[in-house]
Amino acid sequence: MTGIKARRANGGQIELEEKGNAMYASDVAQRHFSAAIDDAEASGLGHEAVCRALLGLVISKYLETRSVADIQAELRFVAENCDPDTDFMFMRP
């Protein structure tokens, strides 16, 4: 069994430490997401159905520990800020 410990890295991103190696949560998610997309396309399902199914699974998992309003706010934020061509203004402390 491998020990994994989560901690906040620079910039607030979650970093998983595994036997002295650093692994980001986004790396884990990307690896599994890519595998799911590859499996779906190999099965002739296409990526749209898998993306919808994964989103449903994420929301179900969130509902175990978060309120509906909190999840809705997060989804709204992602939806309102998903344009890759939009510049975002950040406030500095």
Side-chain angles (χ1 to χ4, degrees):
M1 188 159 119
T2 303
I4 297 175
K5 181 174 71 173
R7 69 176 181 87
R8 291 267 180 203
N10 291 339
Q13 185 173 13
I14 298 293
E15 182 179 271
L16 302 176
E17 291 184 59
E18 181 179 351
K19 292 185 179 179
N21 297 326
M23 178 185 297
Y24 292 99
S26 60
D27 297 332
V28 173
Q30 181 63 54
R31 184 176 67 234
H32 291 285
F33 179 77
S34 294
I37 295 298
D38 291 345
D39 287 349
E41 290 179 352
S43 300
L45 295 173
H47 69 277
E48 291 287 333
V50 171
C51 288
R52 191 172 296 110
L54 289 171
L55 184 57
L57 292 171
V58 168
I59 292 168
S60 293
K61 189 63 177 176
Y62 273 165
L63 285 168
E64 293 176 8
T65 57
R66 297 171 66 174
S67 72
V68 170
D70 186 37
I71 297 166
Q72 289 172 335
E74 181 154 342
L75 292 172
R76 195 172 299 110
F77 176 82
V78 171
E80 291 171 353
N81 295 289
C82 68
D83 184 355
D85 296 327
T86 300
D87 292 328
F88 300 103
M89 295 188 62
F90 293 96
M91 296 186 336
R92 285 206 150 96

